[in-house]
Amino acid sequence: MTVYKSDFMRTLSERGFIYQCSDTDALDRLFLSETVTAYIGFDCTAKSLHVGSLVQIMMLHWLQETGHRPLALMGGGTTRIGDPTGKDEARKILTDEEIEENKAGIRKVFDRFLTFGDGPKDAIMADNADWLMGLRYIDFLREIGRFVSVNQMLQRDSVKLRLEREQHLSLLEFNYMVLQAYDYVELTRRYGCRLQMGGSDQWGNILSGVDLGRRLTETELFALTTPLLTTSSGAKMGKTADGAVWLNADMRSPYDYWQFWRNTEDADVGRFLKLFTKLPLDEIARLEALEGAELNEAKKILANEATRLMHGDEAAAEAAETARKTFEEGALAQSLPSIEVPQTDLEAGIGLLAAYVQAGLCASNGDVRRNVKGGAVRINDETVTDERRTLTAADLTSDGVIKLSLGKKKHILLRPV
RNA sequence: GGAGGAGUGCCCGAGUGGUUAAAGGGGACGGACUGUAAAUCCGUUGGCUUUGCCUACGUUGGUUCGAAUCCAACCUCCUCCA
């Protein structure tokens, strides 16, 4: 491993953030000599970012931590195009309202990890809609387009794969990387930005910006990517049956977030501790050296720390306590995620199928039926064998709730109101 | 512009008139085993008011008692020719 002199590069390197970099030595020197502004772009394709973006967010956090200036770029403009990278086909076109709503949701996350303001080291949030929306086609082609090589674009994986897989690629999507490249230049002009970071899938897009920057601003710009995050058994990070592991609390509760980290595979514990917590490396080394069941302690610490960063001390402690009661005591924890149903509905009797679908434990009635057959459905810890069972006030426990479980790990409380 | 080939479920991929909600694999979910892990084994994997009905094999129409399978047009991709 290269030994870096700057705090930022050393930290990133030691903690496993670096996958590719356009010029590590020069970048290291840059970080030693000045306060560097670096950016990462986030498209507004959903109301929240998910754990897949967390590595990126942590990088911005470390950037500020080591005395530099992070810039979070909202893709308010580029989201109107849709990044073809890694996609088989164009995503559906989002409406302006959806994009604005998504942007608002995504912004919230950054307040937890960055300090914004007007000072020289305060983080900046920008939106590429500000300069992309007003572009004029012919002007843009003449000023920027002449410096963009189609030959090079065709070599980029995002494009090449599409073509090789015999899938349609529209001019709209093809332009995405040109706009991303232009973003980089624009940020260099506006904020003196010198570095763009991103996931490894963004390497091509980022380099396009570096090339364009060299031609237009005669400044050396840098590119740095993180490794694609997969679990040791090869699955993509953060993708589960119930979808992505969202960061926003209203889309995935702190308890479920905590559980996500608690269920980390053994082989990933050390790697994740380095990437997703701020624990000192010697402490991490101690934790990942644990073996067998003892590793569970390390997983709890991982869950605690990751949840703390995301949702705060209180939420993390509560999630840990809920998990302890549920899994270690087998007791009913009042703080499990819950859904509310009107008292009157309960008195009338709620169908098992409806309850599970409403709780989000199953996708459809048929899904519940299948799980009943498979013995996965339990009410108040008793296995249900009759799919036509109804839930009534008689099912309320002494705590006044009904515990719906799917499998061993998913529990939702049903609360009458 | 011309000739030929292709488009199947979350993904890959078989199927070329009824027995096909569609083989097989992957993934995912559930069960067993464990440590709320991995690996392994087993089961499940379109929806619904479930002995039935509805939706689904690029899109839209058509032929037929009956179509993923035949025909037409369109969309997209590939190969060759101009």
Side-chain angles (χ1 to χ4, degrees):
Chain A
M1 194 188 292
T2 322
V3 177
Y4 295 102
K5 294 191 180 67
S6 66
D7 289 344
F8 180 68
M9 291 298 283
R10 194 178 55 246
T11 303
L12 249 53
S13 168
E14 286 171 348
R15 302 188 81 97
F17 282 90
I18 301 178
Y19 181 66
Q20 288 165 296
C21 181
S22 54
D23 186 343
T24 47
D25 292 342
L27 186 58
D28 192 33
R29 282 197 297 278
L30 183 73
F31 272 106
L32 274 178
S33 63
E34 60 182 81
T35 301
V36 177
T37 302
Y39 96 96
I40 301 179
F42 299 88
D43 269 350
C44 310
T45 47
K47 282 199 271 282
S48 164
L49 295 175
H50 51 81
V51 282
S53 302
L54 197 56
V55 191
Q56 269 59 262
I57 298 172
M58 287 302 289
M59 271 204 297
L60 288 180
H61 179 82
W62 282 116
L63 185 75
Q64 189 161 44
E65 195 89 331
T66 53
H68 300 276
R69 187 164 71 151
L71 197 166
L73 178 68
M74 298 291 107
T78 36
T79 305
R80 287 172 165 81
I81 307 294
D83 186 358
T85 306
K87 306 279 182 321
D88 283 349
E89 52 192 54
R91 58 171 83 244
K92 79 177 170 90
I93 304 287
L94 298 169
T95 64
D96 290 2
E97 292 74 43
E98 287 170 322
I99 291 173
E100 284 309 309
E101 196 189 335
N102 292 344
K103 196 164 77 188
I106 288 171
R107 292 182 110 114
K108 288 190 276 188
V109 167
F110 290 96
D111 289 328
R112 301 217 63 102
F113 289 87
L114 302 175
T115 306
F116 290 92
D118 296 322
K121 291 181 182 176
D122 284 339
I124 303 169
M125 182 164 286
D127 182 349
N128 61 19
D130 290 348
W131 52 86
L132 294 181
M133 298 306 279
L135 286 179
R136 295 176 50 183
Y137 196 53
I138 301 294
D139 291 344
F140 182 75
L141 288 178
R142 288 171 61 113
E143 285 164 29
I144 308 297
R146 57 194 302 201
F147 296 115
V148 177
S149 159
V150 170
N151 308 49
Q152 266 181 27
M153 287 173 74
L154 291 173
Q155 293 307 311
R156 304 286 189 221
D157 275 355
S158 59
V159 173
K160 209 163 69 178
L161 289 175
R162 250 323 169 62
L163 299 179
E164 276 170 6
R165 298 195 64 181
E166 308 182 8
Q167 269 136 356
H168 173 64
L169 178 70
S170 69
L171 180 62
L172 178 80
E173 297 173 275
F174 188 57
N175 267 279
Y176 185 92
M177 84 171 82
V178 180
L179 295 181
Q180 187 171 336
Y182 178 66
D183 278 347
Y184 198 170
V185 172
E186 193 62 32
L187 290 172
T188 303
R189 286 174 170 159
R190 292 184 180 216
Y191 303 103
C193 185
R194 296 292 302 280
L195 168 65
Q196 182 183 174
M197 306 185 287
S200 58
D201 59 331
Q202 291 295 312
W203 181 245
N205 287 352
I206 297 174
L207 282 186
S208 297
V210 170
D211 285 343
L212 188 62
R214 184 163 42 232
R215 294 177 192 208
L216 286 172
T217 68
E218 290 170 10
T219 310
E220 185 184 8
L221 301 182
F222 295 91
L224 189 152
T225 60
T226 55
L228 178 70
L229 261 201
T230 54
T231 67
S232 292
S233 42
K236 260 191 199 147
M237 265 291 276
K239 289 213 115 183
T240 62
D242 26 302
V245 178
W246 303 108
L247 299 182
N248 289 9
D250 53 355
M251 290 179 73
R252 187 181 187 96
S253 69
Y255 167 76
D256 281 332
Y257 190 73
W258 193 94
Q259 279 296 315
F260 169 75
W261 294 107
R262 173 63 183 80
N263 284 305
T264 297
E265 295 176 21
D266 286 8
D268 293 324
V269 173
R271 193 160 54 107
F272 288 0
L273 280 167
K274 284 185 206 151
L275 290 169
F276 301 113
T277 76
K278 296 181 66 186
L279 293 176
L281 292 170
D282 50 357
E283 170 75 358
I284 292 176
R286 186 185 71 77
L287 289 171
E288 71 180 324
L290 295 174
E291 287 186 14
E294 290 191 342
L295 252 182
N296 284 335
E297 288 311 310
K299 291 183 190 179
K300 285 181 203 167
I301 291 172
L302 170 63
N304 284 338
E305 293 300 311
T307 308
R308 262 175 37 148
L309 286 173
M310 190 67 234
H311 300 295
D313 289 349
E314 209 175 306
E318 188 181 314
E321 178 58 14
T322 304
R324 197 187 62 76
K325 275 190 192 152
T326 304
F327 290 96
E328 292 175 24
E329 284 181 19
L332 190 146
Q334 279 289 337
S335 44
L336 280 171
S338 60
I339 55 162
E340 299 183 337
V341 295
Q343 183 77 47
T344 48
D345 286 10
L346 191 62
E347 277 155 18
I350 300 171
L352 178 79
L353 306 183
Y356 267 73
V357 173
Q358 211 186 321
L361 287 168
C362 290
S364 66
N365 290 0
D367 194 18
V368 187
R369 290 194 177 96
R370 284 191 286 273
N371 280 115
V372 168
K373 280 197 195 96
V377 173
R378 277 167 302 136
I379 302 291
N380 295 330
D381 298 319
E382 279 191 30
T383 305
V384 173
T385 49
D386 179 11
E387 63 184 48
R388 278 173 302 190
R389 188 187 196 292
T390 53
L391 303 175
T392 64
D395 291 307
L396 291 170
T397 63
S398 53
D399 297 303
V401 297
I402 301 174
K403 183 179 176 191
L404 311 180
S405 306
L406 180 72
K408 284 186 185 146
K409 296 187 194 170
K410 295 176 197 158
H411 311 281
I412 301 263
L413 298 182
L414 190 144
R415 266 176 218 288
V417 286

